[in-house]
Amino acid sequence: MATIDQQFVEYIVKTLVNNPDKVTIDRTIDEKGVLLSLEVDPEDVGRIIGRRGATAQSIRTLLRALGTKNDARYNLKIVNNDGFEPEAKKEAAPAADDSFATEETPAPAEEIDEVEEVEDEEDGVEEGSELAKKTRAELADLDDLDI
């Protein structure tokens, strides 16, 4: 039987998606609180996340209010279950315009940082400027989000 928190999230999500029968919510409890893992049809993931994560953040805010009422801490994890395989997609669907297609794999994070530093220097910004350090720290924090 589903708990009140699962029923709450399920009700909200099912009203938002096109395929409500494919909504599943798993509940686990650990030392950090209650984790609700939400799985929806791959076509509906964008609807749940919303623009810039606004819808997902709203659902989390509502869960926080429920947690305040129930003296619990809730976390919502939206599970990406679309089975995305970059190499398989690249082989299956070649680009229509070969001028934009590349056979190279994305650069590792270290190479990307080096490219950003070169661009900063070209714009007249010092390599170790405070803005660059702050931006890198904010990007590192975003990598930790469970969206």
Side-chain angles (χ1 to χ4, degrees):
M1 182 171 164
T3 59
I4 189 73
D5 48 10
Q6 285 177 299
Q7 292 174 353
F8 180 68
V9 173
E10 184 177 359
Y11 174 76
I12 293 170
V13 171
K14 282 188 175 185
T15 59
L16 295 173
V17 298
N18 288 333
N19 301 309
D21 55 324
K22 294 189 178 179
V23 173
T24 59
I25 300 170
D26 296 323
R27 183 177 193 260
T28 56
I29 300 174
D30 61 4
E31 66 277 353
K32 293 181 182 178
V34 179
L35 175 65
L36 298 174
S37 298
L38 172 66
E39 290 187 41
V40 296
D41 189 68
E43 295 176 358
D44 293 327
V45 172
R47 288 180 169 272
I48 295 302
I49 295 173
R51 289 191 183 179
R52 305 182 115 202
T55 305
Q57 189 61 40
S58 298
I59 296 170
R60 288 184 175 110
T61 301
L62 291 170
L63 265 176
R64 194 174 308 121
L66 181 67
T68 302
K69 180 180 178 185
N70 295 337
D71 293 325
R73 180 181 167 100
Y74 290 106
N75 293 306
L76 177 67
K77 178 180 180 182
I78 300 170
V79 179
N80 185 5
N81 61 351
D82 64 357
F84 178 71
E85 296 177 19
E87 293 301 318
K89 297 238 181 201
K90 191 185 291 184
E91 292 173 7
D97 184 9
D98 289 338
S99 64
F100 294 104
T102 61
E103 294 296 319
E104 298 178 15
T105 58
E110 298 83 25
E111 292 179 22
I112 292 172
D113 288 340
E114 292 173 9
V115 171
E116 290 173 357
E117 291 174 6
V118 170
E119 289 174 0
D120 289 344
E121 291 173 1
E122 290 173 359
D123 294 336
V125 178
E126 295 179 15
E127 179 179 343
S129 72
E130 292 299 318
L131 178 61
K133 289 178 185 176
K134 182 179 176 184
T135 303
R136 286 188 185 97
E138 290 173 353
L139 289 173
D141 290 340
L142 287 176
D143 288 340
D144 297 335
L145 294 178
D146 290 329
I147 294 181

